Amino acid sequence: AQSVTQLDSHVSVSEGTPVLLRCNYSSSYSPSLFWYVQHPNKGLQLLLKYTSAATLVKGINGFEAEFKKSETSFHLTKPSAHMSDAAEYFCVERDSSYKLIFGSGTRLLVRP
Amino acid sequence: DGGITQSPKYLFRKEGQNVTLSCEQNLNHDAMYWYRQDPGQGLRLIYYSQIVNDFQKGDIAEGYSVSREKKESFPLTVTSAQKNPTAFYLCASKGDPSGNTIYFGEGSWLTVV
């Protein structure tokens, strides 16, 4: 069965420093991959998506992610963290039908 | 504005009661979904519907029921058979079948008291 693994349940960074949230997927074909962000008591907001076009995907709020097939990874990065980035982030894969497969989430904490 | 509206945002249920969570979308999307979120976990699919008058069980459908009588509406009923219903529930929808983007509502918090 396909699975999405987010390697860190919590990531803590200082404001102004880079952010790296790691994600590995399991499918053997070229998947559709997404990153969603969830702020407290809110629904999910799409940050960015990869659909077999450019391997470096730019999203909203300065986030980007790089698709690396050789590593089956889709890590999310941002050059400089802001306090408002503190939230839970989900890496998601769409399988061969239409279902979304969610990772378990990474909580990003941003220290002043 | 187009979007997905879930109501109520907060709901308290007594044990043994059925409750219904509303989900309405004005995006003209065919596919709609219900997910459940528990602390420290990703979302788990409860039910989904690809078209009006049709729906399928997801991974954790036991204790839940849905209907899809109208394209824009996909209500979820949490029945008394659901043993641990306290959770955050998210409704979502998707446009054309080949589309990749799923849009989510703001969510509903259900607490059993």
Short mmCIF file of all heavy atoms in Angstrom, two decimals, chain A residues 63-105:
data_model
loop_
_atom_site.label_atom_id
_atom_site.label_comp_id
_atom_site.label_asym_id
_atom_site.label_seq_id
_atom_site.Cartn_x
_atom_site.Cartn_y
_atom_site.Cartn_z
N PHE A 63 7.26 29.44 0.39
CA PHE A 63 7.61 28.03 0.48
C PHE A 63 7.89 27.45 -0.89
O PHE A 63 7.34 27.89 -1.90
CB PHE A 63 6.48 27.23 1.14
CG PHE A 63 6.41 27.40 2.62
CD1 PHE A 63 5.57 28.35 3.19
CD2 PHE A 63 7.17 26.61 3.47
CE1 PHE A 63 5.49 28.53 4.57
CE2 PHE A 63 7.11 26.77 4.85
CZ PHE A 63 6.28 27.72 5.40
N GLU A 64 8.76 26.46 -0.93
CA GLU A 64 8.97 25.69 -2.14
C GLU A 64 9.33 24.26 -1.77
O GLU A 64 9.70 23.98 -0.63
CB GLU A 64 10.04 26.33 -3.03
CG GLU A 64 11.40 26.46 -2.42
CD GLU A 64 12.36 27.16 -3.38
OE1 GLU A 64 11.95 28.12 -4.09
OE2 GLU A 64 13.53 26.75 -3.45
N ALA A 65 9.19 23.36 -2.75
CA ALA A 65 9.50 21.96 -2.51
C ALA A 65 10.14 21.39 -3.76
O ALA A 65 9.83 21.80 -4.88
CB ALA A 65 8.24 21.18 -2.16
N GLU A 66 11.06 20.45 -3.56
CA GLU A 66 11.76 19.83 -4.68
C GLU A 66 11.41 18.36 -4.75
O GLU A 66 11.60 17.62 -3.77
CB GLU A 66 13.26 20.02 -4.56
CG GLU A 66 14.01 19.51 -5.79
CD GLU A 66 15.48 19.85 -5.78
OE1 GLU A 66 15.97 20.35 -4.75
OE2 GLU A 66 16.14 19.60 -6.81
N PHE A 67 10.95 17.93 -5.91
CA PHE A 67 10.65 16.52 -6.15
C PHE A 67 11.94 15.81 -6.58
O PHE A 67 12.57 16.20 -7.57
CB PHE A 67 9.59 16.39 -7.23
CG PHE A 67 9.32 14.97 -7.67
CD1 PHE A 67 8.63 14.10 -6.83
CD2 PHE A 67 9.76 14.50 -8.90
CE1 PHE A 67 8.38 12.80 -7.22
CE2 PHE A 67 9.51 13.21 -9.29
CZ PHE A 67 8.82 12.35 -8.46
N LYS A 68 12.34 14.79 -5.82
CA LYS A 68 13.53 14.01 -6.16
C LYS A 68 13.13 12.55 -6.28
O LYS A 68 12.97 11.85 -5.27
CB LYS A 68 14.61 14.19 -5.10
CG LYS A 68 15.24 15.57 -5.08
CD LYS A 68 16.42 15.63 -4.12
CE LYS A 68 17.08 16.99 -4.17
NZ LYS A 68 18.24 17.08 -3.23
N LYS A 69 13.02 12.09 -7.51
CA LYS A 69 12.56 10.72 -7.74
C LYS A 69 13.57 9.71 -7.20
O LYS A 69 13.18 8.68 -6.65
CB LYS A 69 12.33 10.50 -9.24
CG LYS A 69 11.64 9.19 -9.55
CD LYS A 69 11.27 9.11 -11.02
CE LYS A 69 10.52 7.81 -11.30
NZ LYS A 69 10.10 7.73 -12.72
N SER A 70 14.85 9.98 -7.35
CA SER A 70 15.87 9.04 -6.92
C SER A 70 15.84 8.82 -5.41
O SER A 70 16.23 7.77 -4.91
CB SER A 70 17.25 9.54 -7.33
OG SER A 70 17.51 10.80 -6.74
N GLU A 71 15.34 9.82 -4.69
CA GLU A 71 15.26 9.72 -3.23
C GLU A 71 13.83 9.52 -2.75
O GLU A 71 13.60 9.45 -1.54
CB GLU A 71 15.84 10.99 -2.59
CG GLU A 71 17.30 11.23 -2.92
CD GLU A 71 17.82 12.54 -2.35
OE1 GLU A 71 17.08 13.21 -1.59
OE2 GLU A 71 18.95 12.91 -2.69
N THR A 72 12.88 9.46 -3.66
CA THR A 72 11.43 9.43 -3.35
C THR A 72 11.10 10.45 -2.27
O THR A 72 10.43 10.16 -1.27
CB THR A 72 10.94 8.03 -2.93
OG1 THR A 72 11.65 7.59 -1.75
CG2 THR A 72 11.14 7.03 -4.04
N SER A 73 11.58 11.67 -2.48
CA SER A 73 11.37 12.71 -1.48
C SER A 73 10.70 13.93 -2.09
O SER A 73 10.77 14.18 -3.30
CB SER A 73 12.70 13.12 -0.84
OG SER A 73 13.50 13.82 -1.78
N PHE A 74 10.07 14.69 -1.22
CA PHE A 74 9.40 15.94 -1.60
C PHE A 74 9.46 16.87 -0.40
O PHE A 74 8.47 17.22 0.21
CB PHE A 74 7.96 15.64 -2.02
CG PHE A 74 7.24 16.81 -2.67
CD1 PHE A 74 7.76 17.43 -3.79
CD2 PHE A 74 6.02 17.25 -2.18
CE1 PHE A 74 7.09 18.49 -4.39
CE2 PHE A 74 5.34 18.31 -2.77
CZ PHE A 74 5.88 18.93 -3.88
N HIS A 75 10.66 17.28 -0.06
CA HIS A 75 10.87 18.11 1.13
C HIS A 75 10.42 19.55 0.91
O HIS A 75 10.63 20.13 -0.16
CB HIS A 75 12.34 18.10 1.53
CG HIS A 75 12.89 16.73 1.82
ND1 HIS A 75 12.10 15.68 2.26
CD2 HIS A 75 14.16 16.25 1.74
CE1 HIS A 75 12.84 14.61 2.43
NE2 HIS A 75 14.10 14.91 2.13
N LEU A 76 9.87 20.13 1.95
CA LEU A 76 9.38 21.52 1.92
C LEU A 76 10.40 22.44 2.57
O LEU A 76 10.91 22.11 3.65
CB LEU A 76 8.05 21.61 2.68
CG LEU A 76 7.37 22.98 2.73
CD1 LEU A 76 6.81 23.35 1.36
CD2 LEU A 76 6.24 22.98 3.77
N THR A 77 10.70 23.55 1.91
CA THR A 77 11.69 24.48 2.45
C THR A 77 11.20 25.92 2.37
O THR A 77 10.30 26.25 1.59
CB THR A 77 13.03 24.37 1.68
OG1 THR A 77 12.79 24.70 0.30
CG2 THR A 77 13.64 22.99 1.79
N LYS A 78 11.82 26.74 3.22
CA LYS A 78 11.60 28.18 3.16
C LYS A 78 12.88 28.83 3.66
O LYS A 78 13.43 28.39 4.68
CB LYS A 78 10.41 28.58 4.03
CG LYS A 78 10.09 30.08 3.97
CD LYS A 78 8.80 30.41 4.69
CE LYS A 78 8.54 31.92 4.59
NZ LYS A 78 7.25 32.31 5.23
N PRO A 79 13.39 29.84 2.97
CA PRO A 79 14.70 30.41 3.34
C PRO A 79 14.71 31.07 4.72
O PRO A 79 15.71 31.02 5.42
CB PRO A 79 14.96 31.45 2.24
CG PRO A 79 14.05 31.09 1.13
CD PRO A 79 12.85 30.44 1.75
N SER A 80 13.57 31.68 5.10
CA SER A 80 13.56 32.46 6.33
C SER A 80 12.20 32.33 7.01
O SER A 80 11.18 32.77 6.47
CB SER A 80 13.85 33.93 6.00
OG SER A 80 13.75 34.74 7.15
N ALA A 81 12.19 31.73 8.18
CA ALA A 81 10.93 31.48 8.88
C ALA A 81 10.36 32.76 9.47
O ALA A 81 11.09 33.62 9.98
CB ALA A 81 11.14 30.46 9.98
N HIS A 82 9.03 32.83 9.44
CA HIS A 82 8.31 33.94 10.06
C HIS A 82 7.43 33.36 11.16
O HIS A 82 7.01 32.22 11.09
CB HIS A 82 7.45 34.63 8.99
CG HIS A 82 6.87 35.92 9.43
ND1 HIS A 82 5.66 36.02 10.08
CD2 HIS A 82 7.34 37.19 9.31
CE1 HIS A 82 5.40 37.28 10.34
NE2 HIS A 82 6.41 38.01 9.89
N MET A 83 7.13 34.19 12.14
CA MET A 83 6.30 33.70 13.26
C MET A 83 4.97 33.14 12.77
O MET A 83 4.45 32.16 13.31
CB MET A 83 6.04 34.82 14.27
CG MET A 83 7.28 35.32 15.00
SD MET A 83 8.07 34.04 16.00
CE MET A 83 6.85 33.82 17.28
N SER A 84 4.42 33.74 11.72
CA SER A 84 3.13 33.29 11.21
C SER A 84 3.19 31.94 10.51
O SER A 84 2.15 31.38 10.15
CB SER A 84 2.56 34.33 10.24
OG SER A 84 3.43 34.49 9.14
N ASP A 85 4.40 31.41 10.32
CA ASP A 85 4.54 30.08 9.70
C ASP A 85 4.27 28.96 10.69
O ASP A 85 4.16 27.80 10.29
CB ASP A 85 5.95 29.91 9.13
CG ASP A 85 6.22 30.84 7.96
OD1 ASP A 85 5.27 31.15 7.21
OD2 ASP A 85 7.39 31.26 7.81
N ALA A 86 4.19 29.29 11.96
CA ALA A 86 3.95 28.25 12.97
C ALA A 86 2.59 27.61 12.72
O ALA A 86 1.55 28.27 12.77
CB ALA A 86 4.00 28.86 14.36
N ALA A 87 2.60 26.31 12.45
CA ALA A 87 1.39 25.59 12.08
C ALA A 87 1.74 24.12 11.93
O ALA A 87 2.88 23.72 12.16
CB ALA A 87 0.83 26.13 10.76
N GLU A 88 0.75 23.34 11.51
CA GLU A 88 1.00 21.92 11.20
C GLU A 88 1.01 21.79 9.69
O GLU A 88 0.18 22.37 8.99
CB GLU A 88 -0.10 21.04 11.79
CG GLU A 88 0.12 19.56 11.59
CD GLU A 88 0.13 18.79 12.90
OE1 GLU A 88 -0.44 19.30 13.88
OE2 GLU A 88 0.72 17.69 12.95
N TYR A 89 1.97 21.01 9.20
CA TYR A 89 2.15 20.84 7.76
C TYR A 89 1.98 19.37 7.39
O TYR A 89 2.53 18.48 8.05
CB TYR A 89 3.55 21.34 7.35
CG TYR A 89 3.70 22.83 7.48
CD1 TYR A 89 3.94 23.40 8.73
CD2 TYR A 89 3.57 23.67 6.39
CE1 TYR A 89 4.05 24.78 8.88
CE2 TYR A 89 3.69 25.05 6.52
CZ TYR A 89 3.92 25.60 7.76
OH TYR A 89 4.03 26.96 7.89
N PHE A 90 1.23 19.15 6.32
CA PHE A 90 0.96 17.79 5.87
C PHE A 90 1.47 17.59 4.45
O PHE A 90 1.16 18.39 3.56
CB PHE A 90 -0.54 17.49 5.90
CG PHE A 90 -1.11 17.40 7.28
CD1 PHE A 90 -1.71 18.51 7.87
CD2 PHE A 90 -1.04 16.22 8.00
CE1 PHE A 90 -2.23 18.43 9.15
CE2 PHE A 90 -1.56 16.13 9.28
CZ PHE A 90 -2.16 17.23 9.85
N CYS A 91 2.20 16.53 4.28
CA CYS A 91 2.62 16.09 2.96
C CYS A 91 1.58 15.07 2.47
O CYS A 91 1.16 14.19 3.24
CB CYS A 91 4.00 15.44 3.04
SG CYS A 91 4.69 14.90 1.47
N VAL A 92 1.17 15.20 1.24
CA VAL A 92 0.05 14.40 0.75
C VAL A 92 0.37 13.87 -0.64
O VAL A 92 0.92 14.58 -1.48
CB VAL A 92 -1.23 15.26 0.69
CG1 VAL A 92 -2.42 14.41 0.28
CG2 VAL A 92 -1.50 15.94 2.02
N GLU A 93 -0.01 12.63 -0.87
CA GLU A 93 0.13 12.03 -2.20
C GLU A 93 -1.24 11.65 -2.71
O GLU A 93 -2.07 11.15 -1.96
CB GLU A 93 1.01 10.79 -2.12
CG GLU A 93 1.17 10.08 -3.46
CD GLU A 93 2.02 8.84 -3.36
OE1 GLU A 93 2.57 8.56 -2.28
OE2 GLU A 93 2.13 8.14 -4.38
N ARG A 94 -1.47 11.88 -3.99
CA ARG A 94 -2.71 11.40 -4.58
C ARG A 94 -2.42 10.09 -5.27
O ARG A 94 -1.48 10.00 -6.07
CB ARG A 94 -3.28 12.39 -5.59
CG ARG A 94 -4.74 12.10 -5.93
CD ARG A 94 -5.22 12.88 -7.10
NE ARG A 94 -4.81 12.25 -8.36
CZ ARG A 94 -5.42 12.46 -9.52
NH1 ARG A 94 -6.43 13.29 -9.58
NH2 ARG A 94 -5.00 11.87 -10.61
N ASP A 95 -3.22 9.07 -4.97
CA ASP A 95 -2.91 7.76 -5.54
C ASP A 95 -3.49 7.64 -6.95
O ASP A 95 -4.00 8.62 -7.51
CB ASP A 95 -3.40 6.66 -4.60
CG ASP A 95 -4.91 6.48 -4.61
OD1 ASP A 95 -5.62 7.20 -5.36
OD2 ASP A 95 -5.39 5.61 -3.87
N SER A 96 -3.42 6.45 -7.51
CA SER A 96 -3.77 6.26 -8.92
C SER A 96 -5.26 6.47 -9.20
O SER A 96 -5.64 6.64 -10.35
CB SER A 96 -3.37 4.86 -9.36
OG SER A 96 -3.95 3.89 -8.50
N SER A 97 -6.08 6.46 -8.16
CA SER A 97 -7.48 6.80 -8.36
C SER A 97 -7.66 8.28 -8.04
O SER A 97 -7.21 9.13 -8.75
CB SER A 97 -8.37 5.92 -7.50
OG SER A 97 -8.07 6.10 -6.12
N TYR A 98 -8.23 8.58 -6.97
CA TYR A 98 -8.46 9.98 -6.60
C TYR A 98 -8.24 10.20 -5.11
O TYR A 98 -8.40 11.30 -4.62
CB TYR A 98 -9.91 10.36 -6.93
CG TYR A 98 -10.85 9.42 -6.27
CD1 TYR A 98 -11.26 9.62 -4.96
CD2 TYR A 98 -11.25 8.28 -6.93
CE1 TYR A 98 -12.05 8.70 -4.33
CE2 TYR A 98 -12.06 7.36 -6.29
CZ TYR A 98 -12.45 7.57 -5.00
OH TYR A 98 -13.23 6.66 -4.37
N LYS A 99 -7.88 9.16 -4.39
CA LYS A 99 -7.73 9.31 -2.94
C LYS A 99 -6.47 10.05 -2.59
O LYS A 99 -5.45 9.93 -3.26
CB LYS A 99 -7.68 7.93 -2.29
CG LYS A 99 -8.98 7.21 -2.17
CD LYS A 99 -8.72 6.08 -1.20
CE LYS A 99 -9.60 4.95 -1.29
NZ LYS A 99 -9.27 3.86 -0.39
N LEU A 100 -6.56 10.78 -1.51
CA LEU A 100 -5.38 11.45 -0.97
C LEU A 100 -4.83 10.60 0.17
O LEU A 100 -5.58 10.11 1.00
CB LEU A 100 -5.73 12.83 -0.43
CG LEU A 100 -6.20 13.86 -1.44
CD1 LEU A 100 -6.38 15.20 -0.75
CD2 LEU A 100 -5.20 13.99 -2.58
N ILE A 101 -3.52 10.48 0.20
CA ILE A 101 -2.84 9.76 1.27
C ILE A 101 -2.04 10.77 2.05
O ILE A 101 -1.13 11.41 1.51
CB ILE A 101 -1.93 8.66 0.70
CG1 ILE A 101 -2.76 7.70 -0.16
CG2 ILE A 101 -1.24 7.90 1.83
CD1 ILE A 101 -1.93 6.86 -1.08
N PHE A 102 -2.38 10.92 3.32
CA PHE A 102 -1.76 11.96 4.14
C PHE A 102 -0.62 11.40 4.97
O PHE A 102 -0.70 10.28 5.49
CB PHE A 102 -2.80 12.55 5.10
CG PHE A 102 -3.73 13.53 4.45
CD1 PHE A 102 -4.79 13.10 3.68
CD2 PHE A 102 -3.55 14.89 4.63
CE1 PHE A 102 -5.66 14.00 3.08
CE2 PHE A 102 -4.42 15.79 4.04
CZ PHE A 102 -5.46 15.34 3.26
N GLY A 103 0.43 12.21 5.11
CA GLY A 103 1.42 11.94 6.13
C GLY A 103 0.86 12.28 7.50
O GLY A 103 -0.23 12.85 7.60
N SER A 104 1.61 11.95 8.54
CA SER A 104 1.10 12.16 9.90
C SER A 104 1.27 13.60 10.38
O SER A 104 0.82 13.94 11.46
CB SER A 104 1.79 11.20 10.87
OG SER A 104 3.19 11.38 10.79
N GLY A 105 1.90 14.43 9.58
CA GLY A 105 2.00 15.84 9.92
C GLY A 105 3.29 16.19 10.64
O GLY A 105 3.87 15.38 11.35
#
